[in-house]
Amino acid sequence: MKRPRAWHALLLLPLAGVAVWLVERGRTVRDDPTAVLAALRAASGPALPEAGAAGATARSEPSTYTRDTLYEYIDGAAEAYLARGFDRCVVATYTFASETTEALDVTAEVYRFAPPGGAREQMEAERPSKAAPVPGMPDAFADATTLVSTRGGDYLKLTALGAGDAPPKALASVASAWLKGRP
């Protein structure tokens, strides 16, 4: 058997270099995975909770709108949104079944604004005059058929398409699920 020579040891130097690099790399602090996930969710755009999370029996397929297509959804009011920094939105309708009355539908709209102040300005412009703060939900106001809320650069607008005692409960249910799903 031949004895190892000096040049054989030189072949091990790259392997030793990789091992040292891996050890040093393992000692460095990386980004918090929770913070990375929250940033990715925020960058992905506004979102609405699933029907079950909102206490609804069904939710329509969400529609999305951008700066270029917002006028297709709210033709007359699109300019005010765009002036406040509107970026994109998602819209869906939740259905709440009832054993005693007709099903209640709630239209949910979440608008994303580039400057966070734009969301608050839009909410203040559209807040119903008789709306009161919603207990337990910061920056949320509601009347009998409408609930508006903001969180960061997102503006939530819920409209009940029905009457009776159920709308305030349904609105609060969707808003609560939305707030829980936000980073």
Side-chain angles (χ1 to χ4, degrees), residues 111-174:
Y111 299 89
R112 168 79 42 94
F113 289 82
R120 185 161 220 30
E121 289 174 21
Q122 191 63 42
M123 180 189 73
E124 292 297 333
E126 293 187 346
R127 187 168 123 185
S129 60
K130 294 183 180 182
V134 178
M137 289 186 208
D139 296 323
F141 302 89
D143 64 7
T145 60
T146 306
L147 185 148
V148 293
S149 180
T150 61
R151 178 65 62 95
D154 288 350
Y155 164 50
L156 173 70
K157 182 179 180 183
L158 303 173
T159 307
L161 308 174
D165 294 336
K169 293 176 188 171
L171 295 172
S173 179
V174 175

Side-chain angles (χ1 to χ4, degrees), residues 60-86:
S60 67
E61 189 64 32
S63 301
T64 58
Y65 300 93
T66 64
R67 292 183 62 81
D68 298 329
T69 60
L70 182 62
Y71 69 90
E72 295 172 11
Y73 182 61
I74 53 169
D75 188 21
E79 290 303 318
Y81 282 78
L82 294 171
R84 291 184 173 102
F86 169 80

